[in-house]
Amino acid sequence: MDLSLPLAKLKWIQKRYLKRLKKLKIETVKDLLFHFPHRYEDFSQILKISQIKINQTFCIKGKVIKIENIKTHKKGIILTQALVSDESGSIKAIWFNQPFLKNLIKKDTYVLLAGKLTIGKNESYLQNPVYEKIKNPDIQPFDPRLTHVGRIVPVYPETEGLTSRWLRFAIKRILKKHLASIKEPLPEFILKKYNLLPIKEAILQIHFPSSFKLAQKAKERFAFQDLLILQLFVLGQRIKRYKEKSAPIPIKIEVVKKFVESLPFKLTQAQRKAAWQILKDMERKIPMSRLLQGDVGSGKTVVATISALNCAKNGYQVAFMAPTEILAKQHFETVHNFLKNFNLNIGLLTSKSDRLFSKKLKNEVVEISKRKLIELTEKGEIDILIGTHALIQDKVKFKKLGLVIVDEQHRFGVEQRAKLCKQSKTKERLIPHLLSMTATPIPRTLSLTIYGDLDISILDEMPRGKRKVNTIIVSPKERQKAYQLIEKEIQKGRQAFVICPRIEPGEKGEVRAVKEEYTKLKEQIFPNFEIEMLHGKLSSKEKERIMKDFREGKINILVSTSVIEVGIDIPNATVMIVEGAERFGLAQLHQFRGRIGRGGEESYFFLFCESSSRKTQKRLKALVETDDGLKLAEADLKLRGPGDFVGKRQWGIPDLSMEYLSDLNLVKTTREAAKEILEQDIYLKKYPLLKKELEKFTGLVHLE
Ligand code: ADP
Ligand code: MG
């Protein structure tokens, strides 16, 4: 039997169910078999009616003495009332609006009922109990004939008109017919070594477990399989990369030394080490894939600049991508400033802006057209091209691209990089080296899974020393106090940020939230201060002007969306308010916090929080208690899942296994197992089913 058989081919499934199943993305026999329960109900204890206690879920077995439908006084509600008895006593069961039950559960037949006792005015009864008809009154718990009661019962993700009851019935029917045709994708030696349930057993146990322990074991087996495939993918990426070629970029030690000496500050030990790791990596023919991780303010840009300089001085071009225009502009200015005595051409290319700059010799910034800049890049005359997404447009071609630097957000695979150097004049298809940068610490489990294809350098030293930022959770009542403090700070000459939650990029609500806050602050709260707002819908000219004015201190308070200013460096800003703080991840809030106090002044980070739920309060408290970004990231991973880290990368990992991404043990074992498999058989020739699963997975991953 073919598991890819569409459910539409099964006559016993009605059309309307097919539609509902489709809503849950269930279209084939296999989809249905792999629709796993998200929890279980324990109806495995069959009690005597006389043993029933309040507040306890239980299951009873008895004979139907009476069953009837009753119309209530309340409009249209029909009650089905049954009296069920066993040798110890009898009990009433009531169902609402299911009159058909009267014909289903007939007088003098036997049923199992499960639920909780409801205490009514005059009597106790079972309200809407789960029922199952039985032929043989001697039936025991866990009898394979039982589906909805008398066992550990699966509860599935449902949709309207598609209940767990229906799903249990359908899955059971499918299991009977198709279980035998499921084949084991995992190698035998892996099953043995890691003591995993074979697939058939696991499928059976995950749906209709004979114990909670086995249900758990089944769940773990599938998590193992999903993570194993992820690991095979990630390690495969690495192997693939090792087969690609890059231009080896020798270290020009004199140039690097000269650069380091030209800096107005001394590099931290961590910066030196990271820079060295990067330079060493780039000396090899293997394309570098390195992630530079360092908290906000740890000084990643200068490290990136060292690698860019060394690359450019070897005659290779550098593409430096930033997530937003403002940041691209800031990087352009920073890099341009750092490199002013190094005779390099540096360009700035963004999508919206039509004013473009190129740094020609003699430390001069000139404006040229976009067309011209692209032309110069193609000719190889621009050494370092800085910009936004615009850099990866088809129009932009490099002559000799040696290094791609990606600041925040974007993660590149080998293919994306290869695309960037279509124009490369060299005969061999050389892949540029890649340096990505992020301020989000990577929990260990993730560096061993979804980031497993990258090498990581960490900047764990803050050049300007510890900042003094007070983190304060503000309830709606205390708003006024927070505003008073802002007033004081601004009167001292400091500046403030107000961040409003982004709802969805490009959504109207995002702008409106900023606009509302802006109007409120400007008209009601701080009429005497200069306030401006910043959001994605402004023209780039306008954005530039606002950032410039803010940096120069002409603006006291900047109201902004969250996405825009992640990397902005304003040393004079000492206050930040985050509106709707509960909507952000801890790691992200920690990043916002890194925007203030950069000048070393005592600073204030206010979390305005509309929700008073204890969970939210507890989550935000973590920010008050620790300044350790890694700890916060780990907490985020546990509380919110890996979504914040996975970013735009789409991984075809089922939710069930997502939660295992924070299980260090499983992560380590699956990595081990993946290595063992690949060492034996790199192309998975011996394991065609596993290979098929991997290919399916690879098809679902979008690395951007
Ligand atoms: P981030 O890691 O957040 O991108 P930046 O690269 O923007 O940090 O650096 C933050 C600020 O610290 C910049 O103004 C930069 O010039 C400065 N900086 C970087 N390294 C050092 C250092 N070793 N000593 C002093 N200041 C430094
Ligand atoms: Mg930065």
Coordinates of all heavy atoms in Angstrom, one line a residue, residues 489-528:
E489 N 16.2 63.8 32.9 CA 17.3 63.4 32.1 C 17.5 64.4 30.9 O 18.6 64.8 30.6 CB 17.2 62.0 31.5 CG 17.5 60.9 32.6 CD 18.9 60.9 33.0 OE1 19.8 60.7 32.1 OE2 19.2 61.0 34.2
I490 N 16.4 64.7 30.3 CA 16.5 65.6 29.1 C 17.0 67.0 29.5 O 17.8 67.6 28.8 CB 15.2 65.6 28.3 CG1 15.0 64.2 27.7 CG2 15.2 66.7 27.3 CD1 13.7 64.1 27.0
Q491 N 16.5 67.4 30.7 CA 17.0 68.7 31.2 C 18.5 68.7 31.5 O 19.1 69.7 31.4 CB 16.2 69.1 32.4 CG 14.9 69.8 32.0 CD 13.8 69.8 33.1 OE1 14.0 69.3 34.1 NE2 12.7 70.5 32.8
K492 N 19.0 67.5 31.8 CA 20.4 67.4 31.9 C 21.2 67.3 30.6 O 22.4 67.2 30.6 CB 20.7 66.0 32.7 CG 20.7 66.1 34.2 CD 21.5 64.9 34.8 CE 20.5 63.9 35.4 NZ 21.1 62.6 35.7
G493 N 20.4 67.3 29.5 CA 21.0 67.3 28.2 C 21.1 66.0 27.5 O 21.7 65.8 26.5
R494 N 20.5 65.0 28.2 CA 20.5 63.6 27.6 C 19.3 63.4 26.6 O 18.4 64.3 26.6 CB 20.4 62.6 28.7 CG 21.4 62.8 29.8 CD 22.6 62.0 29.7 NE 23.6 62.4 30.7 CZ 24.6 63.2 30.4 NH1 24.8 63.7 29.2 NH2 25.4 63.6 31.4
Q495 N 19.4 62.3 26.0 CA 18.3 62.0 25.0 C 17.6 60.6 25.3 O 18.2 59.8 26.0 CB 18.9 61.9 23.6 CG 19.4 63.3 23.1 CD 20.3 63.2 21.9 OE1 21.5 62.8 22.1 NE2 19.9 63.4 20.7
A496 N 16.4 60.5 24.7 CA 15.6 59.3 25.0 C 15.1 58.7 23.7 O 14.8 59.3 22.7 CB 14.5 59.6 25.9
F497 N 14.9 57.3 23.8 CA 14.2 56.6 22.7 C 12.9 56.1 23.2 O 12.8 55.7 24.4 CB 15.0 55.3 22.4 CG 16.2 55.4 21.6 CD1 17.5 55.3 22.2 CD2 16.2 55.6 20.2 CE1 18.7 55.4 21.5 CE2 17.3 55.7 19.5 CZ 18.6 55.6 20.1
V498 N 11.9 56.1 22.4 CA 10.6 55.4 22.7 C 10.4 54.4 21.6 O 10.3 54.7 20.5 CB 9.4 56.4 22.8 CG1 8.2 55.6 23.1 CG2 9.7 57.4 23.9
I499 N 10.4 53.1 22.0 CA 10.2 52.1 21.0 C 8.8 51.5 21.1 O 8.3 51.2 22.1 CB 11.1 50.9 21.3 CG1 12.6 51.3 21.3 CG2 10.9 49.8 20.2 CD1 13.3 51.5 20.0
C500 N 8.1 51.5 19.9 CA 6.8 51.0 19.9 C 6.8 49.6 19.2 O 7.5 49.4 18.2 CB 5.8 51.9 19.1 SG 5.7 53.5 20.0
P501 N 5.9 48.7 19.6 CA 6.0 47.4 19.0 C 5.6 47.4 17.5 O 4.7 48.1 17.1 CB 5.0 46.6 19.8 CG 4.2 47.5 20.6 CD 4.9 48.8 20.6
R502 N 6.3 46.6 16.8 CA 6.0 46.4 15.4 C 5.0 45.3 15.4 O 5.1 44.3 16.2 CB 7.3 45.9 14.8 CG 7.2 45.1 13.6 CD 8.6 44.7 13.2 NE 9.1 43.6 13.9 CZ 9.3 42.4 13.3 NH1 9.1 42.2 12.0 NH2 9.8 41.4 14.0
I503 N 4.0 45.4 14.6 CA 3.0 44.3 14.6 C 3.4 43.4 13.5 O 3.5 42.2 13.7 CB 1.6 44.9 14.4 CG1 1.3 45.7 15.7 CG2 0.6 43.8 14.3 CD1 0.2 46.6 15.6
E504 N 3.5 43.9 12.3 CA 3.9 43.1 11.2 C 4.6 44.0 10.2 O 4.1 45.1 10.0 CB 2.6 42.5 10.6 CG 2.7 41.3 9.7 CD 3.4 40.1 10.4 OE1 2.8 39.6 11.4 OE2 4.4 39.6 10.0
P505 N 5.7 43.7 9.6 CA 6.4 44.6 8.8 C 5.4 45.1 7.7 O 4.7 44.3 7.1 CB 7.5 43.9 8.1 CG 7.6 42.6 8.8 CD 6.4 42.4 9.6
G506 N 5.4 46.4 7.5 CA 4.5 46.9 6.4 C 3.1 47.0 6.8 O 2.2 47.6 6.1
E507 N 2.7 46.5 8.0 CA 1.3 46.6 8.4 C 1.0 48.0 8.9 O 1.9 48.7 9.4 CB 1.1 45.6 9.5 CG -0.2 44.9 9.4 CD -0.4 43.9 10.5 OE1 -0.9 44.3 11.6 OE2 0.0 42.8 10.3
K508 N -0.2 48.4 8.7 CA -0.6 49.8 9.1 C -0.4 50.1 10.5 O 0.1 51.1 11.0 CB -2.0 50.1 8.7 CG -2.2 50.5 7.3 CD -3.7 51.0 7.1 CE -4.1 50.8 5.6 NZ -5.4 50.2 5.5
G509 N -0.7 49.1 11.3 CA -0.7 49.2 12.8 C 0.7 49.7 13.3 O 0.8 50.4 14.3
E510 N 1.7 49.2 12.6 CA 3.1 49.6 13.1 C 3.3 51.1 13.1 O 3.7 51.6 14.1 CB 4.1 48.9 12.1 CG 5.5 49.3 12.3 CD 6.3 48.9 11.1 OE1 5.8 48.0 10.3 OE2 7.4 49.3 10.9
V511 N 2.9 51.7 12.0 CA 3.1 53.1 11.8 C 2.2 53.8 12.8 O 2.6 54.8 13.5 CB 2.9 53.5 10.4 CG1 3.1 55.0 10.3 CG2 3.9 52.8 9.5
R512 N 1.0 53.3 12.8 CA 0.0 54.0 13.7 C 0.5 54.1 15.1 O 0.4 55.1 15.8 CB -1.4 53.4 13.6 CG -2.4 54.3 14.0 CD -3.8 53.7 13.9 NE -4.0 52.9 12.7 CZ -4.6 51.7 12.7 NH1 -4.9 51.1 13.8 NH2 -4.8 51.1 11.6
A513 N 1.0 53.0 15.6 CA 1.5 52.9 17.0 C 2.5 54.0 17.2 O 2.4 54.7 18.2 CB 2.0 51.6 17.3
V514 N 3.4 54.1 16.3 CA 4.5 55.1 16.5 C 3.8 56.5 16.4 O 4.1 57.4 17.2 CB 5.5 55.0 15.4 CG1 6.5 56.2 15.4 CG2 6.3 53.7 15.6
K515 N 2.9 56.7 15.4 CA 2.3 58.0 15.3 C 1.5 58.4 16.5 O 1.6 59.6 16.9 CB 1.4 58.0 14.0 CG 2.2 58.1 12.7 CD 1.2 58.2 11.6 CE 2.0 58.3 10.3 NZ 1.2 57.9 9.1
E516 N 0.8 57.5 17.0 CA 0.0 57.8 18.2 C 0.8 58.3 19.4 O 0.6 59.3 20.0 CB -0.8 56.6 18.6 CG -2.1 56.4 18.0 CD -2.7 55.0 18.2 OE1 -2.1 54.3 19.1 OE2 -3.6 54.7 17.5
E517 N 1.9 57.5 19.6 CA 2.8 57.8 20.7 C 3.4 59.2 20.5 O 3.5 60.0 21.4 CB 3.9 56.8 20.8 CG 3.6 55.6 21.7 CD 2.8 56.0 22.9 OE1 3.3 56.7 23.8 OE2 1.6 55.5 22.9
Y518 N 3.8 59.4 19.3 CA 4.5 60.7 18.9 C 3.5 61.8 19.2 O 3.9 62.8 19.9 CB 4.8 60.6 17.4 CG 5.2 61.9 16.8 CD1 6.5 62.5 17.1 CD2 4.3 62.6 16.0 CE1 6.8 63.7 16.5 CE2 4.7 63.8 15.4 CZ 5.9 64.3 15.7 OH 6.3 65.5 15.1
T519 N 2.3 61.7 18.8 CA 1.3 62.8 19.0 C 1.1 63.0 20.4 O 1.1 64.2 20.9 CB 0.0 62.5 18.3 OG1 0.3 61.9 17.0 CG2 -0.8 63.7 18.1
K520 N 0.9 61.9 21.2 CA 0.6 62.0 22.6 C 1.8 62.7 23.3 O 1.6 63.6 24.1 CB 0.4 60.6 23.1 CG -0.2 60.6 24.5 CD -0.4 59.2 25.0 CE 0.9 58.8 25.8 NZ 0.9 57.4 26.2
L521 N 3.0 62.2 23.0 CA 4.1 62.8 23.7 C 4.3 64.3 23.4 O 4.6 65.1 24.3 CB 5.4 62.0 23.4 CG 5.5 60.6 23.9 CD1 6.7 59.9 23.3 CD2 5.6 60.6 25.4
K522 N 4.2 64.6 22.1 CA 4.5 65.9 21.7 C 3.4 66.9 22.2 O 3.7 68.0 22.6 CB 4.5 65.9 20.1 CG 5.2 67.1 19.5 CD 5.2 66.9 18.0 CE 5.6 68.2 17.3 NZ 7.1 68.5 17.4
E523 N 2.1 66.5 22.1 CA 1.1 67.4 22.4 C 0.8 67.5 23.9 O 0.4 68.5 24.5 CB -0.2 67.1 21.6 CG 0.0 67.5 20.2 CD -1.1 67.0 19.3 OE1 -2.1 66.5 19.8 OE2 -1.0 67.2 18.1
Q524 N 0.8 66.3 24.6 CA 0.3 66.3 26.0 C 1.4 66.2 27.0 O 1.4 66.9 28.0 CB -0.6 65.1 26.2 CG -1.8 65.2 25.3 CD -2.6 63.9 25.3 OE1 -2.4 63.1 26.2 NE2 -3.4 63.6 24.3
I525 N 2.4 65.4 26.7 CA 3.4 65.1 27.8 C 4.6 66.0 27.8 O 5.0 66.5 28.9 CB 3.7 63.6 27.8 CG1 2.4 62.8 28.0 CG2 4.6 63.2 29.0 CD1 2.5 61.4 27.8
F526 N 5.2 66.1 26.7 CA 6.4 66.9 26.6 C 6.3 68.0 25.6 O 7.1 68.1 24.6 CB 7.6 66.1 26.3 CG 7.9 65.0 27.3 CD1 7.9 63.6 26.9 CD2 8.2 65.3 28.7 CE1 8.1 62.6 27.8 CE2 8.4 64.2 29.6 CZ 8.4 62.9 29.2
P527 N 5.4 68.9 25.7 CA 5.2 69.9 24.7 C 6.4 70.8 24.5 O 6.6 71.4 23.4 CB 4.0 70.8 25.2 CG 3.8 70.4 26.6 CD 4.4 69.1 26.8
N528 N 7.3 70.8 25.4 CA 8.5 71.7 25.3 C 9.7 71.1 24.7 O 10.7 71.7 24.5 CB 8.8 72.3 26.7 CG 7.7 73.1 27.2 OD1 7.0 73.7 26.5 ND2 7.6 73.1 28.6

